[in-house]
Amino acid sequence: MTDADQVRDQTRNDAVEAALGKLDLDTKARLLAGRDMWSLPAVPSIGLEALVMSDGPIGVRGVRWTADDPSIALPSPTALAAAWDPALARRAGRLLAQEARRKGVHVLLAPTVNLHRSPLGGRHFECYSEDPYLTGAIGGGYVNGVQDGGVGTTVKHFVGNDAETDRFTVDSVIAPRPLRELYLAPFEAIVANAHPWGIMTAYNQVNGTTMTEHQYLVNEVLRAEWGFDGCNVSDWMAARSTTGDILGGMDVAMPGPTTVYGPALAEAVRAGEVPEAAVDEAVRNVLRLAARVGVLEGAPAAVESLPAPVDGHALARELAARGFVLVRNEGALPLDIAAGGTVALAGAAARDARVLGGGSATVFPERVVSPLDGLTAALPEGAVTFSVGADPSDEPTPAGQGFELHAVCRDASGAVLGEGGLPSGQVQWIGDDLPAGVTYETMASIEVRGTFLPRESGEHAFGTRGLGAFALAVGGETLWSGVQEMGNEADPFEAFFGAPSERARVTLTGGEPVEVSLTYQVPDVSALPLRAVMFSLLHLGPQRDADELIAEAVAAAREADTAVVVVATTERVESEGFDRRDLTLPGRQDDLVRAVAAVNPNTVVVVNAGSPVELPWREDVAAVLLTWFPGQEGGAALADVLLGDAEPGGRLPTTWPARFADAPVTEVVPTEGRLEYGEGLFIGYRAYEKHAVTPAYPFGHGLGYTDWTYESVEVTSDTVRVRLTNTGTRPGREVVQVYLAPVADPVERPASWLAAFAGVAAGPGESVETEIALPARAFEIWDEEARGWRRIGGTYEVRASHSHGDTRLTATLDIA
């Protein structure tokens, strides 16, 4: 830190203390409670503006659920981690900071750095990796990038929120060593290397204590031991106890206006249950955050000079290609499309790609480039044919393709209060996120109305999702009216949305528009802790015979030079709020791949999923490319990679099992409220190695379009120097992965673990040398008796590897 930085820090801290000194108890307590869904209250008397937060793992939604102000949609966090490049993550963060400033947002509710403990984790796609070191490196790059742009982050979910089942109440039971060495490790690394301005505490308990009240993990570990000086924000609706939360180190209870803080906190102080000093410390942290993002008068913002503007579309395309992982390639890629060459593209997801995960990671981009769009634009006219082949979903989903919709809000007399555009048939208004002129007190009904342009003739199904009374009309005719009751959904958010239900079918003609309308009677939400309206107009296109669809794809593939099959998961398979039950692809997609591969030996399968799925046909196809949820430019990036204009740059951030039965850790459902992390230190590749299970594709695996020869490795106690040569015919990038494997280990540890990594690039025939720092922590364990880190001496094999399963060079290192 320069002298100038120190002066600015001192000025900022002085301004914070001066502002704090002017506040009375009631104002301080109010400042710690959200004033609405996304912001903290302004206090004009001290020059404090409202502090605005927004969801933002892959894009900045802003404070409204609307497509009227679109957002750049980047690839999923699993894709970002697959690039194994903290500098690239930093560039992504800078773009998101730029988006946040454009939308008036001061703090992003990201990144998510929980681990891929089990492949069944429903929010797997929003987390980076199964490995704590890789997670900390990518998360640190992201945080540095966002904060480079003067926007805060809240690293989440602290800690032990590694599954979705019963996430509000589950007690994650984690022994001290795995808690420190695995689950806390990414948070610790990010605090040390990126100095985040915020942390979000999770819903769950850890070892019997709710995280929003966890004095040990928050006050003693996060703050006292690691030196975190930022603001601790609750996950939304996670705060449950006024005294427990404030004494447990939670600064802000979100969302508002009704929380456990505010008047309840002021009363607790007056009753002698809470020392006012604890309130002051929380307010100090909030004011420090406000000062850093530039909304506290008299305090210099942490960033004076903003980074250069970023082209969001170009970066989204680059990020996607860099994160694609080519796990198999028998000479099929890059495609060699000669004049007159053809590609048979199959799979519903090739036309309607899933570009982002569900839940709080949802944003609304101004455009989405599907695989069909990308390949059609990149290849000569007529070179690409498309067939559905198989659809991963056979139930209605929120109205999207072909629908032009808006919402009309009326009062009890039928008078229009206000209108708003809808990005899809889904209404999700939370807190004050309502169209202009509309309030919960006056709103009696909402009509989702507009037109639908079918792309296919046949019987179309329409339905609803949500709790309450509906009336559904198509073509001016009311097809259904009734009430949807609550089902048996376990997660409160899933229960509030309700289960999708088909309500009516109507025969429509492709290319002929029809009017559609869904009217919803708004219930009284005044007694709810969080006022919200959530419901959806659903649609499902004509369902043709599955065998017939596969036969069409097979016929097209038989005549084409190359077959490209896109398989995918759906929001009913992986999304926020629930965990997966297995790793199978939904629908008849596996049958489609097998049938196409049987007639075209040059079959390439593109896997459009945020986390591992079973690929039972993987040895029967020419190439397998994992594209995760690739963001809005995914189809363009796919064309770049398939045609060789870009190299698939990704390496697996998580082990890909051959079968679900092979996954060593699968338990995500609590027993009597407790989820025992009984596997201890052995998750991911550590567990596969311990149990001698060979995965389909190991951690760190990924193929490029060139070959690399590892020529030499030299090691010291703190560095590894590796020399390698690009022996192929194309330029490329390699990720050199360094693993440590103790010889005759005196303590229980995994057989090997990732210690460090570095990316290198070289042209054909070029050699490159990289020096990689070995972190001291790589040789340490958490000593449960001493309650501290202990260095383990002895002999280690240092492995310079292409992946965890592909060691290229080794050296021996003796550590004192």
Side-chain angles (χ1 to χ4, degrees), residues 611-765:
S611 48
V613 292
E614 291 181 354
L615 309 175
W617 33 258
R618 64 186 183 282
E619 301 295 332
D620 303 325
V621 299
V624 179
L625 181 68
L626 311 180
T627 63
W628 315 105
F629 297 144
Q632 67 176 58
E633 305 297 320
L638 179 63
D640 292 339
V641 167
L642 293 183
L643 300 176
D645 295 327
E647 183 182 43
R651 305 291 185 265
L652 284 178
T654 199
T655 306
W656 209 276
R659 304 174 304 150
F660 170 57
D662 293 340
V665 182
T666 58
E667 187 59 66
V668 293
V669 178
T671 299
E672 296 182 350
R674 291 163 57 90
L675 183 58
E676 301 273 356
Y677 285 43
E679 69 284 347
L681 298 169
F682 299 96
I683 66 170
Y685 64 86
R686 296 165 166 83
Y688 283 87
E689 190 168 26
K690 177 183 180 181
H691 298 292
V693 175
T694 301
Y697 305 110
F699 175 78
H701 174 65
L703 307 172
Y705 287 158
T706 190
D707 298 311
W708 295 88
T709 298
Y710 284 57
E711 297 180 343
S712 65
V713 58
E714 301 173 8
V715 303
T716 70
S717 61
D718 54 12
T719 61
V720 178
R721 185 185 298 272
V722 181
R723 181 177 177 83
L724 59 166
T725 299
N726 179 349
T727 53
T729 59
R730 295 170 55 100
R733 180 178 182 271
E734 172 71 333
V735 178
V736 180
Q737 302 165 38
V738 177
Y739 295 89
L740 295 180
V743 178
D745 204 354
V747 296
E748 183 188 31
R749 279 187 292 183
S752 63
W753 57 88
L754 180 70
F757 65 90
V760 298

Side-chain angles (χ1 to χ4, degrees), residues 145-334:
V146 173
Q147 293 182 177
D148 285 346
V151 173
T153 56
T154 56
V155 187
K156 64 185 188 181
H157 306 87
F158 189 74
V159 61
N161 181 190
D162 307 293
E164 292 293 278
T165 304
D166 295 345
R167 60 178 174 161
F168 287 85
T169 57
V170 62
D171 182 8
S172 298
V173 182
I174 314 172
R177 272 196 68 193
L179 180 60
R180 286 284 189 157
E181 295 179 26
L182 296 179
Y183 303 101
L184 286 172
F187 292 94
E188 182 182 9
I190 293 169
V191 169
N193 299 321
H195 309 291
W197 302 343
I199 291 281
M200 181 188 291
T201 42
Y203 294 120
N204 54 280
Q205 303 174 58
V206 170
N207 298 331
T209 302
T210 301
M211 276 309 305
T212 54
E213 304 172 34
H214 215 302
Q215 297 188 48
Y216 169 65
L217 288 179
V218 174
N219 290 336
E220 296 182 36
V221 176
L222 176 63
R223 291 200 182 277
E225 185 181 323
W226 297 351
F228 173 69
D229 69 349
C231 183
N232 178 12
V233 180
S234 76
D235 203 342
W236 266 226
M237 299 180 69
R240 303 177 180 95
S241 166
T242 300
T243 57
D245 288 340
I246 194 69
L247 296 177
M250 194 192 75
D251 300 323
V252 171
M254 292 296 290
T258 303
T259 79
V260 296
Y261 285 173
L265 179 57
E267 180 56 34
V269 173
R270 293 188 175 102
E273 298 167 358
V274 172
E276 189 166 356
V279 176
D280 287 348
E281 187 58 30
V283 172
R284 184 176 287 112
N285 293 330
V286 170
L287 293 175
R288 186 182 297 116
L289 174 60
R292 283 168 165 163
V293 300
V295 296
L296 178 63
E297 188 177 297
V303 175
E304 285 187 310
S305 179
L306 295 174
V310 180
D311 182 332
H313 295 89
L315 183 56
R317 185 169 181 168
E318 179 187 352
L319 286 169
R322 289 284 305 276
F324 289 173
V325 183
L326 183 61
V327 294
R328 176 177 172 85
N329 187 19
E330 299 299 301
L333 296 178

Side-chain angles (χ1 to χ4, degrees), residues 566-627:
V566 181
V567 297
T569 59
T570 69
E571 285 205 25
R572 295 286 283 174
V573 172
E574 54 174 334
S575 185
E576 180 178 350
F578 58 90
D579 292 308
R580 294 197 284 172
R581 298 175 181 173
D582 55 45
L583 302 182
T584 57
L585 286 166
R588 295 282 301 278
Q589 294 181 101
D590 286 334
D591 294 338
L592 170 65
V593 173
R594 291 189 182 98
V596 168
V599 301
N600 192 321
N602 201 29
T603 295
V604 177
V605 181
V606 176
V607 182
N608 178 197
S611 48
V613 292
E614 291 181 354
L615 309 175
W617 33 258
R618 64 186 183 282
E619 301 295 332
D620 303 325
V621 299
V624 179
L625 181 68
L626 311 180
T627 63

